[in-house]
Amino acid sequence: MSVLVGLIGKPNVGKTTFFVAATMKEAEIADYPFTTIKPNIGIAYLKVECVCREFGVRDSPRNSFCIEGRRMIPVKLVDIAGLVEGASEGRGKGNKFLDDVRQADALIHVVDASGSTDSEGRHTEPGSWDPLKDVEMVEREFDLWLASIVMKDWEKIARVSELDGKLAENLAQKLTGLSIGKGQVEQAVEKLGLGKRYTWWSRDDILMLARELRIISKPSLVVANKCDISTAENNITRLKEKGYKVVPCSAEAELLLRKAANAGLIEYEPGSNHFKIKDESKLSRTQLEALKMVEERVLKKYGSTGVQDAINASYFDLLGSVVVFPVEDEKKLTDSKGNVLPDAYVMKRGSTALDLANAVHTELAKNFLYAVDVRRGMRLGADYILKNRDVLKIVSA
Ligand SMILES: Nc1nc2c(ncn2[C@@H]2O[C@H](COP(=O)(O)OP(=O)(O)O)[C@@H](O)[C@H]2O)c(=O)[nH]1
Ligand SMILES: [Mg+2]
């Protein structure tokens, strides 16, 4: 199953703006990898340094595209319904939220770092609301919800597990719908160290367990959005000091830049710290001013709009994903049709050469003999752990 990253947060922080900006169509992709997609699921792009320049070839990508040596690889992003206090008891769109969040492997938690929206997402004076409270609220609601799921059958699970000693297995069975596996439950239980008399565990213990499960199974980062508003700066520092992984962001700036680029008014590459106006005479004064503002308040100050950084960070930092380039001909770096470096695969942390074979084609995995590290001309076994930017040929019988 492919990986899914979800956008969460209270209402009006900019989740949808981020989603629209990140999933805006940039180019036609020949080999569209996702067939049916729900309306709130879109395609964003992971940006990595392509291997084309290193090998000195002109590539002809199929499942991705390459802009001047940067490979853009489609990944899935889901815009999850806004969350308010009490969501774990069904308040607001609580149930919808929790339904969506199940499928996510990692979470981008969007906050209004400028502090101009209150607990419910209503507009207030910039700087008057503390976004740290929002992060805590969302985490608490998530934990309460997860705890309530565990609590439902806890008595039985605890009793059975005391007898058969298989708590992780019994609990994981209850949590499969949430993309939480046995290994992750084991890890959480171990971390808590509450002992094996499960029937003695209190409600608070279960809440702690839910918290650990969240941290392990839904790694997350904080997107400090609306950084174009000056009151955001101090809150970004405070969020970082609290120990969160923080990406300063202006989703609105990214949206503006992508729209201008699509309209042919500017040259802009997502994730970049600059843009180039193509023909100033084609821009209205308002447009020019808006672009100037993005340059001054966002790009110069923070180095980028943060949208691309957040997508990359969620895959590489949170999930430890790697991007690999499978080829059939190790000399020409082509597939059977002569496309150069046709595909870039995003693989989960710890994936092996055999996993890659499986991702390419199940037949390839069934008859797997060995893989070749094209860069070094070395043979690799089925259990070789993939590294980022590996170029591999898979040889099968
Ligand atoms: N200043 C500023 N406003 C933003 C930014 N991103 C979103 N907004 C505004 O915040 C409001 C809510 O945005 P929306 O994406 O609908 O939020 P959601 O409810 O979290 O999906 C809209 O008026 C947006 O224009 C940003 O980066 N900077
Ligand atoms: Mg929205």
Side-chain angles (χ1 to χ4, degrees):
M1 243 190 37
S2 67
V3 176
L4 196 60
V5 170
L7 292 165
I8 60 165
K10 75 177 183 188
N12 278 324
V13 292
K15 296 181 296 300
T16 300
T17 308
F18 184 106
F19 177 80
V20 172
T23 60
M24 197 175 258
K25 215 163 158 193
E26 290 167 68
E28 282 298 330
I29 289 187
D31 203 21
Y32 205 64
F34 310 109
T35 46
T36 45
I37 278 179
K38 291 200 224 159
N40 64 335
I41 298 185
I43 307 300
Y45 294 88
L46 208 54
K47 179 175 168 176
V48 297
E49 199 193 330
C50 189
V51 295
C52 63
R53 295 207 166 158
E54 179 192 336
F55 283 90
V57 294
R58 263 190 83 124
D59 51 1
S60 30
R62 288 173 59 235
N63 80 341
S64 43
F65 60 96
C66 189
I67 343 175
E68 308 201 8
R70 258 93 57 191
R71 188 61 80 101
M72 308 296 284
I73 308 148
V75 290
K76 286 197 276 184
L77 188 66
V78 52
D79 183 11
I80 296 174
L83 188 72
V84 291
E85 190 144 12
S88 55
E89 285 142 26
R91 231 188 120 228
K93 290 182 183 147
N95 294 323
K96 168 91 177 88
F97 167 86
L98 299 164
D99 209 44
D100 278 342
V101 91
R102 286 169 202 277
Q103 332 158 43
D105 298 288
L107 300 171
I108 293 179
H109 185 169
V110 184
V111 300
D112 175 348
S114 73
S116 47
T117 38
D118 71 8
S119 64
E120 307 273 309
R122 284 174 301 237
H123 202 82
T124 65
E125 190 67 28
S128 67
W129 181 261
D130 182 357
L132 261 73
K133 284 192 198 161
D134 296 337
V135 185
E136 285 159 12
M137 182 276 284
V138 168
E139 289 184 350
R140 192 171 53 246
E141 289 302 330
F142 191 103
D143 295 348
L144 285 168
W145 166 70
L146 197 53
S148 75
I149 293 175
V150 174
M151 281 305 281
K152 255 184 217 154
D153 289 323
W154 180 249
E155 265 183 54
K156 189 171 152 220
I157 290 174
R159 227 176 327 108
V160 170
S161 304
E162 277 184 10
L163 293 174
D164 70 8
K166 293 179 180 165
L167 177 69
E169 214 167 308
N170 299 332
L171 201 53
Q173 233 163 47
K174 188 98 197 91
L175 304 173
T176 44
L178 280 79
S179 310
I180 298 177
K182 182 185 154 212
Q184 293 175 320
V185 179
E186 247 160 27
Q187 219 181 313
V189 170
E190 206 159 292
K191 179 105 187 278
L192 284 178
L194 289 171
K196 293 190 187 306
R197 290 301 294 269
Y198 309 125
T199 47
W200 289 7
W201 288 16
S202 68
R203 271 188 97 84
D204 277 350
D205 292 340
I206 307 257
L207 192 58
M208 294 280 285
L209 176 67
R211 191 184 125 81
E212 287 306 326
L213 281 172
R214 165 176 56 79
I215 293 168
I216 292 167
S217 69
K218 309 282 176 189
S220 65
L221 60 83
V222 173
V223 154
N225 197 34
K226 308 195 186 180
C227 75
D228 50 287
I229 300 174
S230 62
T231 46
E233 194 170 0
N234 182 37
N235 285 328
I236 290 171
T237 311
R238 292 176 58 241
L239 282 161
K240 283 184 181 163
E241 282 169 0
K242 267 272 165 185
Y244 295 109
K245 207 181 284 257
V246 181
V247 181
C249 178
S250 174
E252 202 157 78
E254 178 72 11
L255 190 59
L256 180 95
L257 293 174
R258 291 217 189 178
K259 278 184 176 166
N262 280 3
L265 299 171
I266 62 167
E267 274 171 34
Y268 170 67
E269 184 191 311
S272 150
N273 63 358
H274 66 278
F275 58 85
K276 204 173 120 206
I277 294 174
K278 282 188 172 169
D279 180 356
E280 212 166 304
S281 67
K282 289 221 172 77
L283 292 167
S284 70
R285 240 187 81 180
T286 348
Q287 283 175 320
L288 265 176
E289 270 166 17
L291 286 170
K292 201 95 233 118
M293 228 142 73
V294 166
E295 187 165 50
E296 292 301 322
R297 293 187 187 173
V298 182
L299 299 181
K300 278 196 184 152
K301 195 160 171 189
Y302 293 103
S304 73
T305 69
V307 171
Q308 186 66 57
D309 308 63
I311 304 278
N312 269 38
S314 49
Y315 277 85
F316 293 124
D317 300 346
L318 298 181
L319 294 167
S321 304
V322 293
V323 169
V324 290
F325 298 82
V327 296
E328 282 181 49
D329 184 316
E330 76 265 47
K331 298 252 152 53
K332 296 185 187 134
L333 308 180
T334 56
D335 60 12
S336 60
K337 297 186 190 80
N339 297 303
V340 179
L341 296 169
D343 299 322
Y345 279 74
V346 182
M347 303 293 294
K348 285 189 182 177
R349 190 201 315 265
S351 298
T352 62
L354 187 62
D355 292 329
L356 175 66
N358 242 317
V360 174
H361 204 293
T362 45
E363 286 299 309
L364 205 55
K366 248 187 240 159
N367 305 315
F368 184 97
L369 291 176
Y370 59 91
V372 178
D373 177 342
V374 173
R375 202 175 265 121
R376 290 171 199 82
M378 251 170 54
R379 272 198 193 194
L380 308 165
D383 53 7
Y384 166 76
I385 306 278
L386 303 173
K387 285 205 274 300
N388 199 36
R389 299 178 73 250
D390 269 348
V391 183
L392 300 178
K393 174 191 162 127
I394 289 164
V395 180
S396 65

